[in-house]
Amino acid sequence: MTVYAIIGGSGLTRLEGLDIRQSLAVDTPYGAPSAEVQIGEYAGKEVLFLARHGHPHRIPPHRVNYRANLWALKQAGAEAILAVNAVGGIHPAMVTGHFCVPHQLIDYTSGREHTCFADNLEQVTHIDFSNPYSEPLRQQLIAALAAEGVGYSGQGVYACTQGPRLETAAEIARLERDGCDIVGMTGMPEAALARELELDYACLALVVNPAAGKSAAVISMAEIEQALRDGMGKVTSTLARVLKG
């Protein structure tokens, strides 16, 4: 039976309903993870949970210790990662409250520690990252969203930007020309590190705002926070369906 781990993003620093049996402070070669790894029962299954930005939400996207987070989950016994991400919508279908299970990504970040294959190697190591997400895990998320009856897209290209600032309208126009459908700040190097550690990985993205230039309105953090509050119940019920199989 697959051991799932959930990485909670903005709006999901705690997994309501998780019957926590143990909280692990995992020592990693890369320092401390964002938070303790919580192990418990959720939707009738054993699950691991880690808050990407810490609890409370305090670590900005460019300061998250992604290597420590993924290493800690692997050490705690995770085999598959369900990553929850809050994103901006670029494609017209990606309206606030819409879900996307991306099938591709483009990395626009810089300066992040992005690989475990850096030091003291016996040989140079490369991974095949042609398809960055686990297709079986993506299909499980898609089936769960369909069963929930929510608006979703079963594919999309995730643009990962550096943050913590939001993008300019010109930058979003560039991302759109590049073929990106949604934009966030935490999709990389998380996905690549999961591949290096041989962990299945898929992303459940919740659109919380139109990207810059996609609406006449000013992007409001209050509106983003409201969209997170409105969407988290659907996020957790979707995750529960995946775990129940």
Side-chain angles (χ1 to χ4, degrees):
M1 183 180 297
T2 302
V3 178
Y4 291 91
I6 296 168
I7 298 179
S10 298
L12 193 65
T13 58
R14 298 178 65 183
L15 184 60
E16 295 295 336
L18 175 64
D19 183 12
I20 302 170
R21 295 198 317 268
Q22 189 178 10
S23 292
L24 295 178
V26 182
D27 184 28
T28 86
Y30 311 107
S34 298
E36 293 184 340
V37 177
Q38 296 179 338
I39 303 174
E41 185 174 306
Y42 183 71
K45 299 289 179 63
E46 180 176 274
V47 69
L48 285 62
F49 178 79
L50 177 65
R52 183 186 290 118
H53 298 280
H55 180 68
H57 185 284
R58 68 187 188 280
I59 306 172
H62 66 299
R63 293 295 192 187
V64 171
N65 192 339
Y66 296 95
R67 294 193 298 180
N69 286 354
L70 272 294
W71 187 276
L73 290 173
K74 174 83 171 183
Q75 290 299 107
E79 298 171 322
I81 307 291
L82 298 167
V84 178
N85 300 77
V87 299
I90 300 175
H91 189 280
M94 306 296 172
V95 298
T96 299
H98 193 76
F99 285 91
C100 181
V101 183
H103 70 295
Q104 278 293 337
L105 61 80
I106 303 177
D107 186 7
Y108 298 92
T109 66
S110 61
R112 300 185 183 191
E113 295 290 354
H114 64 280
T115 180
C116 296
F117 298 135
D119 303 308
N120 303 315
L121 302 177
E122 293 182 4
Q123 62 182 29
V124 175
T125 304
H126 303 283
I127 57 168
D128 177 7
F129 205 50
S130 303
N131 297 295
Y133 302 107
S134 163
E135 190 58 27
L137 203 54
R138 277 192 357 94
Q139 292 303 322
Q140 288 178 260
L141 283 170
I142 291 166
L145 288 166
E148 285 293 305
V150 299
Y152 75 93
S153 296
Q155 65 176 21
V157 178
Y158 180 125
C160 189
T161 57
Q162 179 70 353
R165 67 169 177 84
L166 297 177
E167 301 75 30
T168 68
E171 287 169 335
I172 294 299
R174 174 200 173 192
L175 299 184
E176 187 169 26
R177 290 192 299 272
D178 285 352
C180 300
D181 301 300
I182 54 176
V183 58
M185 301 175 188
T186 54
M188 283 292 286
E190 196 172 90
L193 292 165
R195 181 64 53 83
E196 288 186 351
L197 295 174
E198 299 182 334
L199 294 165
D200 287 338
Y201 181 95
C203 166
L204 177 62
L206 171 65
V207 180
V208 296
N209 63 281
K214 292 299 175 180
S215 169
V218 174
I219 297 175
S220 160
M221 293 310 299
E223 291 178 359
I224 290 175
E225 290 166 3
Q226 185 61 53
L228 285 167
R229 287 191 292 269
D230 292 343
M232 278 306 121
K234 298 171 185 175
V235 167
T236 54
S237 60
T238 299
L239 293 172
R241 280 189 182 273
V242 172
L243 294 171
K244 289 175 182 176

